[in-house]
Amino acid sequence: MRKVAVLGIGLTPIGEHWEKSLRVIAGEAVFAALNEARIAPPQMQALYVGNMLSGPLNGQENIGTLIADWVGWRGVEASKIEAACGSGAAAFRAGVMAVASGEFDLVTVVGVEKMTETGGPSTTSALASAADADYEAAQGLSFVAINALVMRRYLHEFGWKHNDFAPFSINAHANAVHNPNARLREAITAKDYNRARMVADPINLLDASPIGDGAAAIVLCPADRLLPNGGPAITVAGSASATDSIAVHGRRDPMLLAAAQLSAQKAYAQAGVRPEDIDVFELHAAFSIMAALSLEACGFAGRGQGVRLGLDGQIGPNGKVPIATMGGLKARGHPVGATGVYQLAEVALQLRGEAGETQVSDARVGMA
C-alpha cells in the first residue's frame, strides 16, 4: 500500500446560504482545494462525496454525479458515501484507500450539506433517520433526546454536575472567534452556559452544535508525488473505521463509544503512535457529552474522567489535548455530512502551522 498525502484543502464558511444550491456550495470547496493543490481539473480521477441528507432535505440523490458534472469532471468515477454524521470521514477513508491501493493517483473528497432551507421538525426528523428506526426513532427519540439520556446517565454514574461540561463549549467558542469559516464566532462565559435555555434535560442550548450549510474538500495523492513547495508534507499515518450497535440500548456499555475506541486503536497501531503522541485532536462532539466520551474512548482520559481535562484547562490550544481548535462542531458548526472533512482539513492546517491564533505549538501528529 502506498503512503497517501493531502495535496490541497478547500473550506467554505458555514452559515445559511439561501442563494446557493448544494452543488454550488460543494463546487466552491472543490475549486478552492484544486487551486491550492495547483491541479488542473482534467487530471482528477475520482470524486467521493460525503453527505447524509441530500435526499430528504434537498430532494436530490446521486450527488456524486451531480457535483462531478458541475465542476466539469464528466467521465470520472464519482459516488456519494453516507454514514450519518460520519459521512465526510467515510468519504475521506474511501479516497485514502483508492490512492493507497494504486487504483488512482488523484482523488478529491468533498463533504457537503445544505440544512437550513427546511423547517426544524423536518430537519430533526431527517437527522433521526440515523438512529435505530424501529427502537429509537419510532419511540419519538430525536438525537438531542438520545444524547440527553446518555448525559443524564453519565452524570449519575460518575457524579459530575451539568456545569462541569461548560469548558467544552467555552473552549469551542473561544477558538471559533478566530475562524472566519465558523458559524458562531462569539465567545461565551460560564455564566452564559449556566443560563442557557434547556433543550432536553440535561442538555441546554450551549451543549448542542448548530446545523448549517457548508462544504469542505481535500485533494489526495501518493506521498511520493507531492510537489516541493517549501511547506510540510501532510501524510495519512493511519486510518480506520469500526461500528457498534446503532441503538444505545443495544450497546454493552452505554458509557463507552466502543466503535471510536476500536477505530482509534487500529489507527494508532497503523501509525505507530499512542494517545500521548497526538498533538491536536478534532473530536466529534455534536453535544458536549460526546466530547467527554470521545476523550475517554480514544485513550486521553480514564472512564468517567473526560470532563476533568476540560476543568483542568487541558483542552485549549496550549493544553495537553487541544480539541475543537477551529471551533469544533459546537461553534464552527455541524453541516453533518461535511463535518468529517472540515475536521480533517483543520488538522492539516494545524500540522502546516497555518491555524492562526489557535495554532498548537509544534504540532506534528493530528487526529480526527
Side-chain angles (χ1 to χ4, degrees), residues 21-311:
S21 67
L22 188 79
R23 76 182 90 192
V24 170
I25 296 171
E28 289 180 351
V30 168
F31 288 132
L34 289 176
N35 184 60
E36 187 180 273
R38 300 178 184 177
I39 294 294
Q43 295 175 266
M44 195 54 55
Q45 296 170 294
L47 173 69
Y48 298 106
V49 181
N51 174 272
M52 177 186 172
L53 298 171
S54 67
L57 295 190
N58 312 123
Q60 178 71 65
E61 291 290 8
N62 200 20
I63 64 170
T65 299
L66 180 84
I67 295 169
D69 178 41
W70 179 252
V71 300
W73 291 344
R74 290 189 185 184
V76 305
E77 175 176 313
S79 59
K80 167 182 169 176
I81 296 176
E82 187 276 315
C85 298
S87 297
F92 179 83
R93 179 159 163 75
V96 167
M97 290 191 290
V99 175
S101 68
E103 180 70 15
F104 299 122
D105 288 330
L106 280 174
V107 165
T108 295
V109 175
V110 61
V112 62
E113 207 75 72
K114 187 165 177 61
M115 306 177 68
T116 64
E117 290 186 358
T118 49
S122 297
T123 304
T124 298
S125 178
L127 287 166
S129 67
D132 189 309
D134 293 329
Y135 298 115
E136 291 179 321
Q139 310 308 315
L141 283 176
S142 64
F143 263 111
V144 65
I146 293 170
N147 277 269
L149 290 170
V150 172
M151 190 174 190
R152 175 58 67 195
R153 181 65 193 181
Y154 189 95
L155 296 176
H156 168 76
E157 194 158 323
F158 302 117
W160 298 105
K161 297 181 176 64
H162 175 258
N163 59 13
D164 292 329
F165 285 80
F168 293 124
S169 298
I170 293 170
N171 171 67
H173 277 263
N175 294 336
V177 168
H178 307 288
N179 179 5
N181 294 314
R183 179 155 198 198
L184 303 178
R185 300 183 65 193
E186 305 92 17
I188 64 170
T189 65
K191 180 181 288 187
D192 294 326
Y193 179 85
N194 292 327
R195 295 171 65 177
R197 68 175 177 84
M198 196 59 64
V199 179
D201 191 13
I203 288 177
N204 71 22
L205 190 63
L206 291 181
D207 286 307
S209 58
I211 62 169
D213 308 334
I218 296 176
V219 177
L220 298 171
C221 71
D224 59 8
R225 290 193 47 180
L226 271 177
L227 300 175
N229 59 7
I234 309 303
T235 57
V236 181
S239 172
S241 181
T243 56
D244 194 3
S245 162
I246 290 181
V248 174
H249 71 259
R251 300 176 185 178
R252 292 186 178 182
D253 182 356
M255 296 296 98
L256 172 65
L257 301 181
Q261 181 183 63
L262 180 57
S263 63
Q265 289 172 347
K266 289 179 179 179
Y268 290 148
Q270 290 175 25
V273 301
R274 298 173 297 178
E276 51 265 38
D277 298 316
I278 304 299
D279 297 311
V280 58
F281 178 34
E282 292 301 332
L283 48 73
H284 192 94
F287 300 93
S288 57
I289 177 61
M290 288 299 141
L293 292 178
S294 295
L295 288 165
E296 294 167 22
C298 296
F300 298 102
R303 178 182 167 87
Q305 295 301 307
V307 175
R308 175 60 59 194
L309 287 169
L311 292 172

Side-chain angles (χ1 to χ4, degrees), residues 329-348:
L329 282 68
K330 173 64 196 75
R332 181 237 296 120
H334 182 28
V336 292
T339 291
V341 187
Y342 273 98
Q343 291 179 295
L344 289 154
E346 289 162 358
V347 168

